[in-house]
Amino acid sequence: MSGPSHASDTPITDHQQLAGVMAKGEKPRDAWRIGTEHEKFGFRLDDLRPPSFDGERGIEALLTGLTRFGWQPQQEAGRTIALSRDSASVSLEPAGQLELSGAPLATIHDTCREVGTHLREVREVADELQLGFLGMGFQPKWRRDEMPWMPKGRYQIMRNYMPKVGALGLDMMARTCTVQVNLDYASEADMVEKFRVSLALQPIATALFADSPFTEGQPNGYLSYRSHIWTDTDPDRTGMLDFVFEDGFGYERYVDYLLDVPMYFSYREGRYIDASGKSFRDFLAGRLDVLPGALPTLRDWNDHMTTAFPEVRLKSFLEMRGADGGPWNRLCALPAFWVGLLYDQTALDAAWDLVKDFSMEERHALRDGVPRHALKLPFRGGSVRELAREALKISAHGLARRACLNAKGADETRFLDPLLEIVESGQTPAERKLELFNGEWYGSVDPVFCEFAY
């Protein structure tokens, strides 16, 4: 959930411009890059509570502290709400979850260096403020009403709208964290194959990264409660997008989908105009009652594209959105998993062979069953664990063929090691934490803030 886009203020006069945003993302293979984003929960070391925005130990103080590393502050209404450096940014989710949106990088080695640098910088400033940070999919301890809210205009609009369309949207905003990777495509046909493969396999990533088993200090019955939350957030803008698998799918069909997603806002002259629930089609016709006669700009369209939340999202690149947040090594493992599958043609074709005969019902059964059962979910006489093992094998071969070596001559396959350990043990990160909760933690989640902090 980034801030307003920096896209053009050119008015949209032609439907073709909408699909053109996606077509402009097409790049030759040698220009494909990897953009990794991750969110994490801040907490005060003395009482484990999430820091507020204001105050000597608040989130704004943390952002200000990070400017010593060359980050430039971004302001809204006179408050520092984000940072930018080169082509990376640090931003805030609604309850102050700290997000790194990484630069477009060439290799997973680069990605892991970027993540490591960021976490070191955050740690230096956080130590001074007596704050810590935790990577998990869902806030393990605090109630929704105990979470702070950040002073960002778009979040206030979403906060008011969410309860009208789903029971768990406010939890999605205030109490979840994810890691995702953004990847390129060469052509419309390449985008379609990648979209289909990644959508069908997104539940596999959810299972491997499942790390949200606690709500308000107790087991919640799920392994990825974060993933479950998306099933009751807003049906108009979430889910598995069955139309992606239909003949003829391409940019135009995705535009039609986005035009059916109700709006949240339009960003005009430095402020957010509440357009929640309204139609972008009406906006295109100059009939938006909150902006009478105004036509949308490409900036409006780019902003609108960020308000759809399917399992895989198309903008001018593809976003993999299925994974819970986690520790440093899994922040490198997620881009490795998807790059191995999607950036090598042999691997992409093998992955398509793996999923092409999944029925719509099977895809939905995977999506709906994985949050509770993860790798143990039955599938076609076996389980998701076997499917995950096969996907990891294809990904590892893809990374090996890419042959992107670091200074020591190692390729990118080693970044899959945390996932291979999970699939071989059959124990997800969530199940490991539940084992600790029921054992040496004596029924308390508090130790998670110490043992699993960055």
Side-chain angles (χ1 to χ4, degrees):
M1 284 187 223
S2 52
S5 77
H6 300 293
S8 159
D9 288 324
T10 309
I12 296 167
T13 54
D14 175 2
H15 203 275
Q16 289 297 314
Q17 287 170 275
L18 306 181
V21 171
M22 299 160 207
K24 279 198 184 86
E26 294 174 5
K27 295 180 180 69
R29 179 180 292 272
D30 61 5
W32 290 354
R33 293 294 179 264
I34 304 158
T36 306
E37 304 179 22
H38 79 271
E39 303 155 359
K40 48 208 164 289
F41 296 108
F43 60 93
R44 301 191 306 210
L45 297 180
D46 48 351
D47 61 9
L48 307 182
R49 287 186 176 275
S52 61
F53 181 75
D54 301 304
E56 290 179 6
R57 297 171 62 198
I59 289 288
E60 189 177 28
L62 179 86
L63 293 176
T64 302
L66 286 169
T67 59
R68 74 184 68 164
F69 300 110
W71 291 94
Q72 299 300 308
Q74 310 290 309
Q75 300 206 314
E76 183 178 314
R79 307 306 300 269
T80 298
I81 49 114
L83 306 168
S84 63
R85 184 174 70 190
D86 301 325
S87 48
S89 66
V90 174
S91 58
L92 302 177
E93 291 296 288
Q97 306 98 307
L98 193 70
E99 176 173 9
L100 172 70
S101 296
L105 300 170
T107 73
I108 311 295
H109 306 296
D110 298 332
T111 294
C112 230
R113 266 194 299 276
E114 176 187 59
V115 169
T117 299
H118 168 73
L119 292 176
R120 275 194 303 278
E121 291 173 356
V122 169
R123 180 74 178 266
E124 181 178 314
V125 179
D127 282 350
E128 295 165 11
L129 302 176
Q130 290 293 289
L131 299 177
F133 281 89
L134 172 69
M136 282 184 75
F138 190 77
Q139 164 59 248
K141 184 173 174 70
W142 302 107
R143 297 190 312 268
R144 187 199 295 166
D145 62 7
E146 294 172 305
M147 302 302 288
W149 282 85
M150 301 297 105
K152 293 176 68 172
R154 81 181 267 171
Y155 292 162
Q156 191 56 51
I157 291 168
M158 291 170 67
R159 186 181 182 181
N160 294 337
Y161 181 71
M162 285 289 184
K164 300 173 185 174
V165 289
L168 299 176
L170 294 179
D171 283 322
M172 180 277 290
M173 293 179 72
R175 294 202 285 177
T176 64
C177 281
T178 186
V179 52
Q180 67 180 54
V181 63
N182 306 326
L183 298 174
D184 292 316
Y185 42 83
S187 62
E188 188 169 27
D190 185 44
M191 178 279 291
V192 170
E193 187 176 11
K194 286 173 173 168
F195 207 147
R196 288 171 175 168
V197 164
S198 55
L199 201 50
L201 286 177
Q202 210 60 220
I204 308 311
T206 303
L208 286 166
F209 284 77
D211 196 0
S212 41
F214 304 117
T215 301
E216 292 159 26
Q218 294 297 317
N220 53 33
Y222 291 85
L223 299 176
S224 177
Y225 188 63
R226 182 204 65 87
S227 182
H228 168 69
I229 278 172
W230 282 108
T231 67
D232 196 359
T233 289
D234 182 345
D236 289 330
R237 63 185 82 238
T238 58
M240 286 294 279
L241 306 189
D242 299 320
F243 63 84
V244 169
F245 297 92
E246 293 171 3
D247 289 347
F249 171 68
Y251 301 138
E252 290 285 348
R253 179 66 185 85
Y254 195 79
V255 166
D256 288 341
Y257 157 71
L258 283 175
L259 290 175
D260 289 333
V261 171
M263 290 180 66
Y264 278 150
F265 61 83
S266 173
Y267 188 74
R268 296 282 162 124
E269 294 168 9
R271 66 191 187 96
Y272 288 89
I273 309 296
D274 188 344
S276 54
K278 299 186 186 299
S279 162
F280 206 94
R281 293 181 197 275
D282 286 347
F283 201 2
L284 284 170
R287 293 197 304 263
L288 199 63
D289 56 1
V290 294
L291 284 167
L295 290 174
T297 64
L298 284 176
R299 178 203 292 262
D300 286 312
W301 179 241
N302 277 272
D303 284 343
H304 184 63
M305 292 170 87
T306 71
T307 67
F309 306 123
E311 294 293 296
V312 177
R313 179 162 68 187
L314 175 61
K315 293 195 286 195
S316 55
F317 45 81
L318 284 165
E319 297 181 356
M320 310 297 129
R321 298 175 46 82
D324 285 0
W328 173 80
N329 61 357
R330 287 209 306 278
L331 302 180
C332 308
L334 183 89
F337 178 68
W338 289 114
V339 165
L341 288 168
L342 304 185
Y343 272 13
D344 173 81
Q345 190 61 48
T346 304
L348 181 58
D349 293 341
W352 177 237
D353 282 341
L354 184 64
V355 303
K356 66 185 177 187
D357 68 338
F358 287 9
S359 66
M360 185 174 81
E361 291 73 23
E362 284 177 319
R363 290 194 299 269
H364 282 266
L366 285 169
R367 168 66 188 89
D368 296 341
V370 151
R372 194 181 285 278
H373 304 290
L375 296 174
K376 294 181 175 63
L377 181 71
F379 185 76
R380 291 191 173 180
S383 70
V384 166
R385 184 181 176 191
E386 280 88 61
L387 206 50
R389 185 180 280 126
E390 192 58 34
L392 280 166
K393 194 184 299 178
I394 296 169
S395 175
H397 287 314
L399 292 174
R401 277 188 295 270
R402 260 169 65 84
C404 294
L405 309 183
N406 66 9
K408 294 177 183 167
D411 69 16
E412 297 165 310
T413 54
R414 65 195 180 94
F415 294 112
L416 295 177
D417 287 351
L419 305 183
L420 293 168
E421 287 170 26
I422 287 164
V423 92
E424 287 315 312
S425 69
Q427 186 182 57
T428 60
E431 288 161 309
R432 172 68 183 135
K433 288 185 174 70
L434 287 166
E435 188 177 78
L436 290 164
F437 178 86
N438 292 315
E440 58 198 67
W441 291 357
Y442 297 105
S444 170
V445 297
D446 289 3
V448 81
F449 292 92
C450 174
E451 294 187 29
F452 288 89
Y454 290 112

